[in-house]
Amino acid sequence: METDLKTVYPRTATWLPPGFRCAEIEKLPELLLKHHELLRQTPFLADLATVELALHRLSRSPPPLPETVAETIIHPGLELLEVEWKRLPDHLDDPEILPAAEKCLLLLLPGNENRKPRIFTAGNADLLALKIVAEKIDPEEAASEGGVSIAAIESTIAAAVAKGLLLAPPSKIRRPAEFFNDERLYRRFSSSQMFTLQWHLTQKCDLHCRHCYDRSRRAEMSLGQGLGVLESLDEFRRLNNVGVQVSFSGGNPLLYPHFFELYEQTVRRGFQTAILGNTVKPSTLEEIVSIEKPQFFQVSLEGLKDHNDSIRGPGHFDGVVGFLRELRKMNIYSMVMLTLTSGNLKDVLPLADFLGDKVDLFTFNRLAQEGAGADLVPVNPAEYEDFLKDYLAAAARNPCMSLKDSLFNILLQRQGTELIGGCTGYGCGAAFNFLSLLSDGEVHACRKMPSLLGNLFQESLEEIYQSATAAKYRSRSTGCRQCEIHPVCGGCPAVSRGYGLDIFSDVDPYCFKKKDPAVGNGS
């Protein structure tokens, strides 16, 4: 019987005296409640046994999960235990951490894929999410009652789904199994829980950058049309069971006359927000934050001061550095993007060092030779592999440096380290988990190249996304199809187009995978 006790109650058994017996093993918690001498020595022992018994039951006979989930539900195996002692989960992991007398609720969940059950202390956000789902409370009603935004409620529910407390319908933004030739990559990258709409509100801009890929004149949508966009995006979210991020861009999105109205309505619908723009006054930042702090605010630098200002205008570099200080003061996640050319290749690593304590994330895109960018000189493809190696080594020492270019995966595969998601987290995400909306309603697969899919003033976002043209962009280049890492790569079609290549059949001109022995990259 002692062996059985240790099997069911491994931590509790360490507190029991030698030779302790329990005739009915499942009644140990009740027996301990009557064992006053033991409780005087170890007052949390009955609660500890109760928790371990519940975990044992979950591990032995977890409840079956539904084959399909049509709406968000509470995990059928979730157990709530009210106990008199906090830190019991910590004590199970580390006997040096002793429980303390305080009532709390514990959440217990069956393990995933034959792993042991999980246990953690319930927080207020966990309990709120469970209440909303159990009582079928509308998120807008919950937000109104709690005096918070719908985005905060949606975030609370999403966090509970991520923990496993809730089961949500699977995202319909997913790539087919035949797109993958590696089971591990399929599990990690076949489905996206988030969809990003990069919304170019206006062509107006207070800069005249030498590499700008679109200076065309476009009509500017009315406020009513903008609200219609949000309606269509909301429908798309519901139909595809995804979270949504709206990345406001331009031009300079803050120059759009109805920016704040659309920003507020975006937040009210529970969408995440981000801003890709130019520097703004602190008072403008405060106005934005008073509605909702964006997930991030991205600005651009094209190298160290001299080179940057030759591209973006005199005084731009110092203005951005000052703006980054304002973002940090307001605790807004800051990002700096660089467009990589032959002219700033040698500036990248020194700039990253300079920005190390000033920005949360620094990364780069290769030049797309579109618009004014066609007049700049791209990086020599023969130099690109060595540049990526140097960047990767520097990133190991500088936490602000992000790996965005999918071609980093060639180096990571050689090293035997985990691959990255690339540009949008899923290789090239054009028309997959990402679309660009222009100010006149045009929807493109990618903003860095002409890739028209439809017009949102004439069709719904769902119709555009499900179109044959969008599916063609999602399928990527056939030239990469046999490469084992193509699900997280596929190169950059905008770069390929700038070199005059067919983006649906040719390989990215910067791909150096063909140098590796015994690889099939289709080139």
Side-chain angles (χ1 to χ4, degrees):
M1 189 63 70
E2 186 175 346
T3 301
D4 290 336
L5 278 176
K6 288 182 178 178
T7 299
V8 180
Y9 306 99
R11 183 69 68 217
T12 304
T14 64
W15 293 99
L16 297 176
F20 186 91
R21 294 289 184 269
C22 178
E24 296 182 65
I25 197 165
E26 292 205 351
K27 292 192 175 181
L28 178 63
E30 298 174 35
L31 177 62
L32 291 174
L33 283 172
K34 300 173 184 177
H35 209 302
H36 302 299
E37 183 61 31
L38 268 179
L39 289 180
R40 274 195 294 271
Q41 298 172 11
T42 316
F44 56 82
L45 203 54
D47 272 0
L48 181 61
T50 299
V51 170
E52 289 199 295
L53 177 60
L55 290 172
H56 179 72
R57 286 172 175 162
L58 278 178
S59 65
R60 291 291 298 273
S61 49
L65 296 179
E67 291 186 8
T68 59
V69 178
E71 61 180 357
T72 302
I73 61 172
I74 294 175
H75 192 298
L78 177 67
E79 290 192 22
L80 278 73
L81 286 180
E82 186 173 3
V83 293
E84 303 292 327
W85 294 81
K86 66 178 183 179
R87 296 207 295 263
L88 287 170
D90 299 324
H91 180 65
L92 290 172
D93 290 331
D94 184 352
E96 299 296 319
I97 301 175
L98 295 179
E102 184 179 314
K103 281 187 178 183
C104 66
L105 273 176
L106 299 180
L107 301 173
L108 288 72
L109 280 170
N112 295 326
E113 299 177 358
N114 299 318
R115 296 174 187 167
K116 65 181 183 179
R118 294 168 289 153
I119 178 172
F120 40 89
T121 303
N124 290 334
D126 300 323
L127 298 175
L128 175 61
L130 293 172
K131 177 181 174 66
I132 289 171
V133 172
E135 299 180 11
K136 299 185 181 299
I137 301 173
D138 183 87
E140 188 170 355
E141 179 186 341
S144 178
E145 288 183 6
V148 297
S149 67
I150 298 177
I153 297 297
E154 297 281 0
S155 178
T156 298
I157 294 173
V161 171
K163 279 186 176 182
L165 305 178
L166 303 175
L167 300 182
S171 166
K172 293 183 181 178
I173 293 185
R174 55 193 317 112
R175 298 196 192 276
E178 56 267 26
F179 192 81
F180 297 83
N181 44 24
D182 184 306
E183 179 63 25
R184 293 167 301 173
L185 293 183
Y186 176 75
R187 289 198 301 268
R188 288 179 58 203
F189 297 108
S190 62
S191 175
S192 174
Q193 302 304 311
M194 289 293 297
F195 171 80
T196 296
L197 182 70
Q198 190 180 88
W199 191 350
H200 295 260
L201 291 172
T202 180
Q203 294 290 88
K204 295 175 185 173
C205 190
D206 41 355
L207 299 176
H208 300 280
C209 304
R210 289 174 54 201
H211 65 295
C212 184
Y213 43 75
D214 186 2
R215 290 178 177 166
S216 63
R217 292 182 178 274
R218 291 180 182 271
E220 205 162 72
M221 67 181 66
S222 66
L223 177 58
Q225 288 173 317
L227 295 175
V229 167
L230 294 178
E231 288 283 351
S232 190
L233 188 55
D234 207 10
E235 177 193 44
F236 181 86
R237 169 176 63 176
R238 292 194 303 271
L239 291 172
N240 292 282
N241 304 323
V242 288
V244 167
Q245 180 184 88
V246 178
S247 295
F248 291 103
S249 188
N252 182 352
L254 274 300
L255 296 180
Y256 176 66
H258 306 294
F259 171 81
F260 285 102
E261 292 98 320
L262 283 185
Y263 188 86
E264 182 172 6
Q265 290 302 316
T266 300
V267 168
R268 286 183 58 81
R269 289 182 178 273
F271 302 149
Q272 293 183 9
T273 59
I275 299 174
L276 290 68
N278 302 335
T279 61
V280 297
K281 297 182 294 185
S283 59
T284 303
L285 270 185
E286 290 170 359
E287 189 172 355
I288 293 170
V289 171
S290 70
I291 300 171
E292 181 93 341
K293 184 161 57 176
Q295 295 290 308
F296 63 84
F297 198 122
Q298 177 180 298
V299 289
S300 295
L301 287 173
E302 308 308 334
L304 298 173
K305 185 173 181 177
D306 287 347
H307 182 80
N308 177 80
D309 287 3
S310 73
I311 296 291
R312 290 188 169 264
H316 179 266
F317 186 90
D318 290 339
V320 167
V321 172
F323 183 64
L324 293 176
R325 286 195 294 267
E326 294 298 328
L327 291 176
R328 183 144 292 184
K329 284 180 189 176
M330 302 189 70
N331 198 30
I332 299 173
Y333 193 90
S334 59
M335 294 172 56
V336 166
M337 173 65 70
L338 174 142
T339 298
L340 188 68
T341 68
S342 62
N344 63 11
L345 185 68
K346 293 181 179 179
D347 274 12
V348 174
L349 299 188
L351 177 62
D353 283 340
F354 174 79
L355 292 173
D357 61 349
K358 300 176 179 64
V359 72
D360 293 302
L361 184 146
F362 167 75
T363 193
F364 66 88
N365 277 326
R366 283 177 279 155
L367 174 72
Q369 298 176 73
E370 298 287 345
D375 295 331
L376 298 182
V377 180
V379 173
N380 183 343
E383 300 177 29
Y384 196 56
E385 179 180 358
D386 287 339
F387 167 75
L388 291 187
K389 288 178 180 177
D390 292 341
Y391 186 99
L392 192 60
R397 305 184 300 270
N398 186 342
C400 84
M401 295 174 68
S402 173
L403 310 183
K404 184 179 182 186
D405 195 313
S406 300
L407 297 185
F408 276 114
N409 279 317
I410 303 173
L411 300 179
L412 296 175
Q413 185 191 38
R414 288 178 186 171
Q415 296 173 2
T417 53
E418 191 170 90
L419 304 184
I420 60 168
C423 186
T424 67
Y426 297 86
C428 174
F432 175 58
N433 65 330
F434 174 94
L435 287 173
S436 284
L437 171 64
L438 306 190
S439 63
D440 57 0
E442 284 189 1
V443 176
H444 288 249
C446 173
R447 183 66 177 102
K448 294 197 299 179
M449 64 179 179
S451 47
L452 181 63
L453 304 179
N455 193 294
L456 203 51
F457 300 157
Q458 300 162 9
E459 308 166 83
S460 71
L461 190 60
E462 175 70 4
E463 289 171 325
I464 293 171
Y465 184 86
Q466 300 298 346
S467 68
T469 306
K472 188 176 181 181
Y473 279 97
R474 280 195 289 279
S475 297
R476 305 215 201 120
S477 171
T478 56
C480 298
R481 199 63 54 78
Q482 299 306 311
C483 176
E484 65 273 18
I485 66 171
H486 91 90
V488 287
C489 187
C492 177
V495 169
S496 294
R497 187 181 186 280
Y499 274 83
L501 300 176
D502 184 335
I503 67 171
F504 299 113
S505 61
D506 292 328
V507 175
D508 187 318
Y510 287 80
C511 177
F512 49 93
K513 187 91 163 77
K514 54 184 174 289
K515 296 181 182 179
D516 294 347
V519 297
N521 69 342
S523 61

